[in-house]
């Protein structure tokens, strides 16, 4: 129906650690947790238990990891004025979590977050930051990494400053954020009931240069320690999902492509460009990078489309124009598929904003499909 189709549906699934005990209760992906507090209808009934423990462990130190830690530790009176989902706000009001451990396989030089996100969590009111000064020691290889990356350099500077400026305060109920570097999860240990997580066993790591990539990778040392907790959030990366009939690299979790042009292979193993089919974003290159990274990625794909158009590769063989949106609407109607047009989204947006205004919030999110669909007809 279209001369050009761009796949840009991102990464909506999760990577797995593949360690024992990963299926215990109280262990969630950070994506699920983010969807829960942001009011995604698919996770509105998740109901994580925030009342049976004072300690949460977040595996990962990227921006999503920092986001979920910030939600768990931010003062409730500040959250009340945001557009956080009501069910999450109710649960966080009753939360007994006071300590969050952010666990990373490598060191502070390799922390995957950006300075902006790090500043936000370091600035949370009345939050005590724990960083072991010994972890901040740098090797010659670390120094080389810092020279090459302004982002990594800024993150390292912020962590170093936080380690020296946050002094210990013995306050009952003090909220604490612990940065744990050079640790990787080995297994999850169950509580006495056997159903829920009670501890994470961590293996200490050290950094070694990977000859192939030149990067420093975390290698286990054979030394272990247990970290007691009642909630674990895995922030180890997102994963794209395949679509029937679409070329897909299961190992890398991306659509194979050359500068955004989707590739498939013939029986002899030769690459074939799928004419008129393109990809952009995390589905194109994997779940890394921020908005600015995606802008450059999209520009590359658009440049490929323009180049193919100029070279006459996108002109239909029949010479007759393709039906486009009109044909799509007819097909959906024929198959009796209900869809939400932009005007329907605008009705949802208007209703949420109106409800939020009554509560002195940016919006009150509608969090179930049963409520969303009638709002479209509103």
């Amino acid at each position: 129906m279209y001369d050009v189709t761009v796949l840009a549906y991102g990464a909506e699934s999760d990577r797995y650690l593949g360690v024992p005990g990963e299926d215990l209760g109280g262990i969630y992906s950070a994506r699920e947790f983010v969807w829960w507090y942001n009011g995604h209808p698919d996770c509105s009934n998740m109901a994580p238990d925030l009342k049976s423990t004072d300690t949460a462990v977040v595996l990962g130190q990227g921006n999503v990891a920092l986001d979920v830690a910030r939600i768990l530790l931010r003062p409730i009176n500040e959250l009340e004025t945001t557009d956080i989902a009501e069910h999450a706000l109710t649960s966080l009001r009753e939360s007994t979590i006071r300590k969050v451990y952010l666990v990373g396989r490598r060191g502070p030089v390799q922390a995957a977050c950006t300075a902006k996100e790090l500043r936000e969590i370091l600035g949370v009111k009345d939050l005590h930051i724990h960083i072991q000064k010994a972890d901040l020691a740098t090797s010659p290889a670390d120094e080389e990494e810092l020279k090459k990356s302004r982002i990594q350099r800024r993150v390292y500077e912020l962590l170093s400053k936080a380690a020296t400026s946050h002094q210990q305060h013995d306050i009952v109920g003090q909220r604490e954020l612990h940065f744990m570097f050079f640790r990787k999860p080995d297994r999850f240990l169950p509580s006495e009931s056997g159903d829920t997580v009670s501890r994470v066993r961590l293996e200490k790591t050290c950094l070694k240069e990977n000859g192939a990539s030149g990067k420093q990778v975390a290698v286990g040392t054979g030394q272990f320690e247990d970290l007691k907790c009642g909630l674990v959030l895995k922030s180890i990366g997102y994963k794209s999902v395949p679509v029937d009939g679409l070329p897909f690299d299961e190992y890398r979790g991306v659509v194979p492509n050359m500068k955004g042009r989707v590739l498939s292979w013939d029986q002899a193993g030769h690459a074939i460009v799928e004419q008129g089919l393109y990809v952009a974003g995390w589905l194109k290159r994997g779940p890394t990078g921020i908005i600015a990274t995606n802008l450059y990625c999209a520009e590359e794909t658009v440049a490929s489309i323009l180049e193919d158009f100029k070279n006459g590769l996108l002109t239909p063989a029949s010479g007759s124009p393709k039906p486009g949106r009109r044909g799509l609407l007819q097909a959906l109607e024929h198959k009796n598929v209900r869809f939400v047009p932009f005007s329907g989204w605008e009705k949802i947006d208007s209703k949420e904003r109106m409800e939020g205004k009554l509560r002195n919030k940016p919006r009150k999110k509608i969090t179930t499909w049963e409520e969303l669909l009638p709002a479209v007809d509103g």
Side-chain angles (χ1 to χ4, degrees), residues 78-369:
E78 293 182 11
L79 289 174
E80 286 172 339
T81 60
T82 71
D83 64 357
I84 190 170
E86 285 294 322
H87 58 251
L89 189 60
T90 299
S91 184
L92 288 161
R93 277 197 191 100
E94 301 170 350
S95 172
T96 57
I97 292 176
R98 294 295 177 268
K99 299 177 185 177
V100 175
Y101 288 82
L102 280 167
V103 180
R105 292 170 177 261
R106 298 188 292 170
V109 170
Q110 293 80 27
C113 59
T114 57
K116 181 178 180 293
E117 293 285 345
L118 182 57
R119 270 194 298 268
E120 283 192 26
I121 195 163
L122 293 178
V124 169
K125 188 178 179 183
D126 298 327
L127 179 63
H128 182 60
I129 310 295
H130 289 255
I131 299 173
Q132 297 292 331
K133 290 185 180 178
D135 287 341
L136 294 166
T138 56
S139 66
D142 288 332
E143 294 295 338
E144 280 300 311
E145 283 193 44
L146 291 174
K147 284 179 186 176
K148 293 175 183 177
S149 171
R150 185 181 63 84
I151 293 175
Q152 283 178 254
R153 197 161 58 244
R154 189 71 191 109
V155 167
Y156 178 78
E157 288 168 357
L158 287 168
L159 289 169
S160 300
K161 185 178 178 182
T164 56
S165 62
H166 287 80
Q167 301 302 316
Q168 179 66 47
H169 302 291
D170 294 321
I171 302 173
V172 176
Q174 170 85 56
R175 294 181 186 237
E176 303 173 8
L177 177 64
H178 298 251
F179 284 86
M180 291 191 75
F181 298 102
F182 305 110
R183 303 287 191 279
K184 68 175 183 176
D186 175 71
R187 66 185 60 234
F188 301 103
L189 302 169
S191 60
E192 290 183 5
S193 68
D195 299 327
T196 59
V197 67
S198 69
R199 286 172 295 158
V200 181
R201 180 157 294 166
L202 300 171
E203 182 178 10
K204 294 181 181 180
T205 64
C206 62
L207 295 182
K208 289 191 177 179
E209 286 194 48
N210 183 315
S213 67
K215 293 183 177 179
Q216 295 188 93
V217 296
V219 178
T221 63
Q223 295 176 287
F224 299 88
E225 62 185 5
D226 289 354
L227 185 56
K228 190 177 178 182
C229 64
L231 177 71
V232 175
L233 299 173
K234 300 177 296 179
S235 185
I236 56 171
Y238 287 60
K239 186 179 179 183
S240 296
V241 293
V243 169
D244 288 345
L246 178 72
F248 195 78
D249 184 332
E250 291 282 355
Y251 179 74
R252 294 179 57 219
V254 299
V255 171
N257 69 92
M258 180 180 64
K259 293 187 175 180
R261 299 176 178 93
V262 172
L263 301 175
S264 61
W265 282 264
D266 61 19
Q267 290 184 334
H270 299 123
I272 303 169
V273 175
E274 294 281 341
Q275 188 173 310
L277 190 58
Y278 302 84
V279 63
W282 283 9
L283 187 62
K284 172 184 171 183
R285 65 177 198 282
T288 59
I290 54 177
I291 291 174
T293 325
N294 281 321
L295 287 173
Y296 289 118
C297 174
E299 285 176 354
E300 180 184 64
T301 297
V302 170
S304 293
I305 295 170
L306 291 173
E307 184 181 330
D308 292 348
F309 177 72
K310 288 174 183 175
N311 292 333
L313 299 176
L314 302 178
T315 306
S318 63
S320 58
K322 294 192 177 181
R325 177 180 173 80
R326 176 176 49 81
L328 176 62
L329 293 175
Q330 288 174 352
L332 291 171
E333 185 178 354
H334 179 70
K335 293 184 177 182
N336 199 28
V337 174
R338 185 181 182 190
F339 61 93
V340 179
F342 183 61
S343 59
W345 177 87
E346 287 179 314
K347 290 177 182 177
I348 293 171
D349 182 50
S350 177
K351 185 175 176 63
E352 288 186 340
R353 287 177 181 274
M354 186 173 63
E355 292 288 333
K357 196 172 182 181
L358 298 173
R359 294 165 174 79
N360 195 31
K361 298 167 57 131
R363 70 174 66 237
K364 180 183 181 294
K365 290 183 177 175
I366 304 171
T367 60
T368 66
W369 295 116

Side-chain angles (χ1 to χ4, degrees), residues 14-30:
D14 307 295
R15 291 179 178 173
Y16 290 94
L17 282 166
V19 301
E22 196 168 355
D23 57 348
L24 285 170
I27 301 175
Y28 304 93
S29 72

Side-chain angles (χ1 to χ4, degrees), residues 43-73:
C43 287
S44 59
N45 295 322
M46 193 174 91
D49 182 2
L50 307 183
K51 295 192 290 185
S52 300
T53 182
D54 68 348
T55 303
V57 170
V58 180
L59 299 173
Q61 294 177 337
N63 285 341
V64 176
L66 265 60
D67 267 348
V68 297
R70 184 163 50 90
I71 290 295
L72 288 169
L73 293 169

